[in-house]
Amino acid sequence: MSRMGVYDQVKKAFQDLIAPEIHSLRGEIQRMDGRIIGLEGKIGGLDGKIGGLDAKIDAVDQKLTQKIDSLRTETVSMKGELIAEIRRLDARIDGVDRELRTAIDIRERLAALEARRSA
């Protein structure tokens, strides 16, 4: 019979002391589960926003790439035009140089002829 008394005492102590704590812990666990679920929802929302930002960044990157390619093409075109203009001016300068050398040669010949005539 004393055995039964100890069992009943342990059972009563368990019911009086441990069971309420376990019940309280269950409530805390449920609240924490609710908070975790809420955080998971917020994280899911952030994932969607991050995906949207990724899409926007990709769009901006694509626009910048197109603009850079366009500027590169325009620069190459302008470089070609500039080189053509430099070559045209170089040829013109060469022509003026030939005309100037011819004029100097004519002047020297004229000066020599005048010197002979005067002598």
Side-chain angles (χ1 to χ4, degrees):
M1 248 315 226
S2 70
R3 241 175 151 203
M4 208 47 174
V6 171
Y7 174 77
D8 287 336
Q9 287 177 355
V10 170
K11 182 179 174 185
K12 178 144 176 64
F14 184 78
Q15 288 174 343
D16 291 345
L17 299 173
I18 297 173
E21 286 297 318
I22 290 174
H23 184 68
S24 173
L25 287 174
R26 280 187 185 152
E28 284 293 318
I29 289 170
Q30 287 175 348
R31 281 195 297 274
M32 294 302 285
D33 281 346
R35 291 176 77 184
I36 288 170
I37 290 169
L39 287 173
E40 286 174 344
K42 287 181 181 180
I43 289 171
L46 288 175
D47 285 343
K49 288 181 180 181
I50 289 171
L53 285 174
D54 280 345
K56 287 180 181 179
I57 289 170
D58 288 344
V60 168
D61 184 48
Q62 184 179 15
K63 286 180 183 178
L64 285 174
T65 301
Q66 289 173 349
K67 189 67 175 176
I68 288 169
D69 289 344
S70 172
L71 289 172
R72 184 176 289 124
T73 301
E74 188 176 336
T75 302
V76 168
S77 174
M78 291 175 76
K79 179 183 174 186
E81 290 174 17
L82 183 59
I83 289 171
E85 185 66 17
I86 288 170
R87 287 183 179 148
R88 186 185 70 77
L89 289 174
D90 190 41
R92 188 169 174 194
I93 289 170
D94 286 345
V96 169
D97 184 49
R98 279 190 300 274
E99 289 177 14
L100 182 59
R101 288 180 195 269
T102 303
I104 290 171
D105 187 45
I106 291 171
R107 186 166 192 279
E108 288 174 355
R109 287 182 185 178
L110 185 59
L113 286 174
E114 286 178 351
R116 275 192 218 161
R117 187 172 162 215
S118 304

